[in-house]
């Protein structure tokens, strides 16, 4: 899905690069101060290694509309990611594709925020088509010393030092129809996604705690929303919770306390 993301190992030209990219985001920022590669290189590599952006991109192409595809991508990303969260928020004429860092203890996130907006921009452009343009890009960090290359890349107004990092665009683009997917590819992608969900459900308490910690940032911690992210019905999630011997509400309060 992302034009600059490849599955080929040729892109990962150094084992050291992979080791750095596998670090938690808080450690990644510190490691970049002692490495010669561009920080954005490691931000994007971190996304591939940690969150399997490629597979999320495949999932986004399965629904009939771009809006449904984007929501599936966000749900998959939030399920896999341990340190960051994404959300799609629609309010009238405009929709925001929002990125946030859920990991605590980070002191410098400018490169991460900027790298996430580059990724989000390319995701939306591939979903909506080449005619799509964002309305505005907001970035929750200070501007770089020379913002001109960034402004040229996005081709849209940039607002640094914002409350959130988001790509804002006209809501009508969510209705864009996606091309049909080959049935064999659909079956393969859906099978992989189902296997990943089953693996995640095998350690349900830890999974729910991680998801809820991030959902608290977005504001929707309902059991219905969490079940949708897991690709199961609410009653199924409730049954799994009871089988593990705890109550959903108690776990949510525990996460809030943490």
């Amino acid at each position: 899905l992302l034009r600059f993301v490849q599955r080929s190992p040729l892109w990962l030209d150094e084992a050291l690069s992979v080791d750095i990219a596998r670090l938690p985001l808080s450690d990644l920022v510190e490691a970049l101060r002692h490495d010669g590669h561009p920080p954005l290189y490691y931000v994007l590599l971190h996304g591939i290694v940690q969150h399997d952006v490629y597979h999320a991109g495949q999932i986004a192409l399965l629904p009939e509309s771009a809006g449904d595809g984007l929501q599936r991508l966000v749900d998959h990303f939030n399920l896999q990611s341990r340190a960051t969260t994404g959300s799609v928020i629609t309010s009238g004429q405009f929709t925001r594709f929002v990125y946030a860092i859920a990991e605590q203890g980070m002191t410098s996130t400018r490169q991460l925020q900027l790298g996430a907006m580059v990724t989000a921009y390319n995701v939306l452009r591939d979903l909506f088509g080449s005619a799509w343009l964002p309305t505005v890009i907001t970035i929750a960090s200070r501007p770089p010393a020379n913002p001109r290359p960034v402004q040229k890349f996005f081709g849209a107004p940039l607002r640094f030092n914002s409350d959130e990092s988001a790509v804002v665009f006209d809501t009508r683009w969510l209705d864009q129809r996606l091309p049909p997917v080959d049935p064999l590819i659909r079956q393969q992608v859906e099978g992989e996604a189902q296997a990943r969900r089953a693996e995640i459900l095998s350690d349900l308490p830890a999974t729910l705690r991680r998801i809820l910690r991030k959902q608290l940032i977005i504001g929707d911690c309902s059991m219905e929303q969490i079940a949708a992210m897991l690709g199961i019905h609410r009653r199924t999630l409730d049954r799994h919770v009871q089988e593990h011997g705890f109550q959903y509400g108690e776990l949510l309060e525990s996460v809030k306390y943490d």
Side-chain angles (χ1 to χ4, degrees):
L1 177 63
L2 307 179
R3 288 186 292 276
F4 50 86
V5 171
Q6 302 292 333
R7 298 197 81 174
S8 168
L10 294 177
W11 193 75
L12 311 178
D13 58 344
E14 298 175 359
L16 178 60
S17 297
V18 178
D19 289 339
I20 293 177
R22 284 183 174 140
L23 293 172
L25 289 181
S26 55
D27 296 336
L28 179 62
V29 173
E30 177 62 26
L32 294 181
R33 296 173 181 168
H34 309 289
D35 187 86
H37 281 78
L40 184 55
Y41 168 84
Y42 286 114
V43 173
L44 300 179
L45 183 53
H46 178 86
I48 298 170
V49 173
Q50 295 294 99
H51 312 316
D52 198 356
V53 173
Y54 182 87
H55 186 67
Q58 287 183 312
I59 289 177
L61 297 176
L62 297 183
E64 295 183 357
S65 72
D68 290 341
L70 182 59
Q71 188 59 58
R72 287 200 64 177
L73 182 146
V74 166
D75 289 343
H76 179 84
F77 177 84
N78 288 338
L79 196 59
Q80 301 292 329
S81 170
R82 294 181 178 275
T84 58
T85 186
S87 57
V88 180
I89 303 173
T90 297
S91 179
Q93 181 183 351
F94 298 104
T95 294
R96 309 190 327 269
F97 186 15
V98 183
Y99 167 88
I101 296 175
E103 186 168 316
Q104 299 178 351
M106 298 194 65
T107 58
S108 177
T109 64
R110 184 177 66 181
Q111 295 293 345
L112 302 178
Q113 302 284 359
L114 185 56
M117 290 302 95
V118 171
T119 302
Y121 174 91
N122 279 338
V123 165
L124 295 174
R125 192 167 181 82
D126 283 339
L127 277 175
F128 299 149
S130 59
W132 172 82
L133 284 175
T135 303
V136 65
I137 309 288
T138 63
I139 302 177
S141 68
R142 69 184 190 280
N146 180 13
R148 288 166 132 191
V150 181
Q151 293 170 338
K152 182 177 180 181
F153 173 83
F154 287 115
L158 297 180
R159 296 178 185 170
F160 289 95
N161 297 314
S162 297
D163 293 334
E164 65 182 14
S165 291
V167 179
V168 184
F169 58 93
D170 195 307
T171 299
R172 64 186 175 86
W173 288 103
L174 296 177
D175 296 327
Q176 182 89 359
R177 310 307 292 177
L178 296 177
V181 177
D182 182 273
L184 292 179
I185 295 178
R186 176 183 294 275
Q187 183 179 6
Q188 178 183 354
V189 174
E190 292 283 15
E192 291 178 3
Q194 188 173 12
R196 288 163 189 252
R197 283 194 295 267
E199 181 180 353
I200 289 172
L201 284 173
S202 65
D203 190 5
L204 186 62
T207 296
L208 287 180
R209 182 174 291 276
R210 171 167 55 83
I211 294 175
L212 288 172
R213 188 177 295 114
K214 296 193 304 176
Q215 287 300 112
L216 284 171
I217 298 176
I218 300 174
D220 188 353
C221 296
S222 66
M223 185 176 281
E224 289 79 4
Q225 173 62 24
I226 305 304
M229 292 175 61
L230 294 170
I232 58 179
H233 194 276
R234 181 193 181 283
R235 289 195 296 270
T236 303
L237 175 58
D238 191 33
R239 185 175 69 252
H240 282 300
V241 166
Q242 292 182 25
E243 289 173 354
H244 281 80
F246 65 92
Q247 297 294 323
Y248 180 83
E250 294 176 355
L251 180 63
L252 177 58
E253 289 304 315
S254 174
V255 172
K256 288 180 180 179
Y257 181 78
D258 293 342

